[in-house]
């Protein structure tokens, strides 16, 4: 039987998930780059957080441990451990590492005057990173085959490169003034990345639409898999993927265009790269949680919207189960 720590529940997020503000605070924790080195920043190494969570589950937790310590342990644990498999996610592919490892790629995609070669290179690197993040943070209640991963990756790279190169060439050939051309070229990465990220996710998770994903009741008991829940999870993830690149690929160009007009920037043009990097980091740290907070990580679906076998089920107390829960995935 799990231990009892007043104010702490490991089965629920710390902040209310039925409100956007609560989800935003939750995902600010999930995407906190400090979780890459929790021992240095929090005095809570990953191994210590795992030990505390295990002690909680086995009721061997020291009585001196309070709720704040347990919430910190859960934050560190959740940032690195996959909720379905229990495996440790590699640092470059954790959500808390997205800003650190993704910023150089975004800076590369936003470099002015992109050539066809540079566009292909940076879009390919970006989709390779995205594919690894997608796989590492997938809903793993159902296995994903190597062919699914390969098709998802190939589709994402093909769509991102095709859209980016096509739009860049269209902008170059358009009969518009040079200043307008430069402005438009800076925003080409967004539609390319948004479309490719969505295609990547749909291709890699298409088996979920056929096989379904695991669903559980309010007591945490798994009742099977549901294709209806899978459709809802994938739709919510798709909407998130369309919004996700916006702060990362729109805020930096807008900010840089404003900064380029300042006297200090004109006087010290070499500061462009470090300043743009800082702007991208800021967009990552705050923009990423904003986008993924659009929907709760643990999705819900009414029993009435599901397959017949989920109708009229009862929990351990004999009460009708009206709502089921599933891991939406990222």
């Amino acid at each position: 039987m799990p231990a009892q720590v007043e104010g702490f529940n490991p089965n629920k997020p710390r902040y209310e998930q039925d409100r956007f503000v609560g989800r935003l605070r939750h995902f600010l924790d999930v995407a906190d780059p400090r979780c890459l080195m929790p021992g240095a920043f929090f005095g809570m190494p990953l191994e210590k957080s795992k030990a505390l969570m295990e002690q909680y589950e086995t009721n061997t937790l020291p009585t001196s441990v309070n709720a704040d310590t347990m919430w910190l342990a859960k934050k560190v644990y959740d940032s690195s451990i996959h909720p379905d498999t229990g495996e440790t996610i590699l640092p470059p592919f954790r959500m808390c590492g997205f800003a650190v490892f993704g910023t150089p790629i975004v800076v590369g995609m936003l470099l002015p005057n992109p050539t066809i070669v540079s566009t292909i290179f940076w879009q390919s690197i970006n989709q390779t990173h995205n594919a690894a993040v997608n796989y590492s943070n997938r809903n793993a209640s159902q296995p994903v085959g190597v062919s699914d991963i390969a098709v998802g990756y190939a589709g994402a790279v093909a769509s991102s490169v095709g859209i980016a190169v096509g739009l860049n060439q269209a902008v170059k050939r358009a009969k518009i003034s040079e200043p307008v051309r430069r402005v438009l070229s800076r925003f080409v990465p967004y539609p390319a990345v948004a479309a490719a990220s969505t295609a990547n996710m749909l291709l890699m998770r298409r088996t979920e639409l056929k096989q379904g994903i695991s669903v559980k009741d309010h007591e945490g008991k798994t009742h099977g898999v549901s294709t209806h829940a899978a459709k809802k999870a994938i739709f919510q993830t798709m909407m998130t993927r369309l919004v996700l690149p916006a702060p990362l690929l729109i805020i930096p160009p807008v900010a840089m265009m404003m900064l380029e007009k300042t006297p200090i920037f004109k006087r010290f043009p070499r500061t462009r790269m470090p300043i743009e990097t800082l702007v991208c980091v800021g967009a990552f740290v705050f923009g990423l949680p904003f986008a993924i907070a659009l929907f709760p990580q643990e999705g819900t679906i009414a029993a009435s919207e599901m397959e017949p076998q989920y109708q009229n089920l009862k929990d351990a107390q004999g009460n009708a189960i009206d709502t089921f829960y599933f891991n939406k995935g990222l």
Side-chain angles (χ1 to χ4, degrees):
M1 180 178 179
Q4 297 296 320
V5 178
E6 186 176 356
F8 174 71
N9 184 347
N11 298 318
K12 294 183 178 181
R14 185 172 191 176
Y15 308 106
E16 291 293 332
Q17 296 298 286
D18 57 350
R19 297 176 58 198
F20 175 77
V21 173
R23 296 196 296 271
L24 178 60
R25 295 180 70 182
H26 169 69
F27 284 113
L28 281 170
D29 274 351
V30 172
D32 189 344
R34 295 176 297 176
C35 288
L36 289 173
M37 296 190 295
F41 287 105
F42 305 126
M44 177 70 72
L46 178 58
E47 292 304 318
K48 182 179 178 180
S49 74
K50 292 169 68 174
L52 285 171
M53 295 299 290
E54 290 173 2
Q55 288 174 343
Y56 180 89
E57 290 298 326
T58 56
N59 200 11
T60 57
L61 192 69
T63 56
S64 59
V65 178
N66 58 28
D68 287 338
T69 300
M70 288 307 301
W71 281 120
L72 177 59
K74 177 175 169 57
K75 170 179 175 175
V76 173
Y77 182 90
D78 289 349
S79 71
S80 305
I81 306 298
H82 193 285
D84 292 333
T85 66
E87 298 176 351
T88 301
I89 301 172
L90 294 174
F93 312 135
R94 298 174 188 172
M95 296 310 295
C96 63
F98 210 62
V100 175
F101 296 98
T103 294
I105 300 173
V106 170
V107 172
M109 288 193 295
L110 294 176
L111 290 174
N113 304 317
T115 64
I116 293 179
V117 174
S118 68
T119 298
I120 293 174
F121 174 79
W122 287 113
Q123 289 291 340
S124 299
I125 291 295
N126 181 56
Q127 290 309 319
T128 299
H129 183 236
N130 284 346
V133 172
N134 288 346
Y135 179 78
S136 299
N137 295 278
R138 71 199 184 282
N139 182 316
S141 61
Q142 294 296 318
V144 179
V146 175
S147 61
D148 295 319
I149 298 172
V151 170
Y153 174 70
V157 172
S159 58
S160 66
V161 170
I163 293 172
V165 171
L167 288 177
N168 274 326
Q169 292 303 305
V171 169
K172 288 181 179 179
R173 295 171 182 172
K175 297 179 179 180
I176 52 179
S177 64
E178 194 58 33
V180 173
R181 194 188 312 278
R182 286 198 299 269
V183 170
L184 289 178
S185 66
R186 290 187 173 186
F187 292 99
V188 164
Y190 170 65
V193 171
S197 180
T198 302
N200 182 298
M201 184 274 298
L202 290 173
L203 289 168
M204 288 191 67
R205 296 181 61 177
R206 70 187 190 280
T207 54
E208 295 178 18
L209 295 174
K210 301 177 183 177
Q211 301 176 8
I213 58 176
S214 295
V215 293
K216 57 185 180 180
D217 59 26
H218 61 282
E219 296 176 326
K221 179 183 177 181
T222 300
H223 288 265
V225 296
S226 168
T227 56
H228 291 234
K231 291 176 183 177
K232 189 169 184 178
I234 289 176
F235 175 77
Q236 292 180 351
T237 305
M238 179 182 69
M239 297 305 296
T240 299
R241 292 302 176 86
L242 290 173
V243 176
L244 179 58
L248 311 180
L249 297 173
I250 291 179
I251 292 177
V254 172
M256 293 307 297
M257 283 189 290
M258 295 174 64
L259 290 172
E260 286 171 356
K261 298 177 182 179
T262 61
I264 296 178
F265 202 89
K266 292 179 179 179
R267 185 177 179 183
F268 302 101
R270 292 185 179 180
T271 60
R272 175 189 175 84
M273 186 62 72
I275 290 176
E276 186 166 15
T277 300
L278 290 175
V279 171
C280 288
V281 170
F284 260 113
V285 172
F286 297 104
L288 175 64
F290 180 89
I292 58 181
L294 291 175
F295 301 99
Q297 177 60 36
E298 184 176 64
T300 61
I301 183 171
S304 59
E305 300 176 12
M306 299 175 66
E307 293 86 342
Q309 64 265 33
Y310 295 104
Q311 312 294 327
N312 304 316
L313 293 180
K314 299 183 183 297
D315 60 20
Q317 284 71 44
N319 300 315
I321 302 176
D322 298 321
T323 304
F324 287 88
Y325 302 84
F326 56 87
N327 176 16
K328 175 176 68 68
L330 294 173

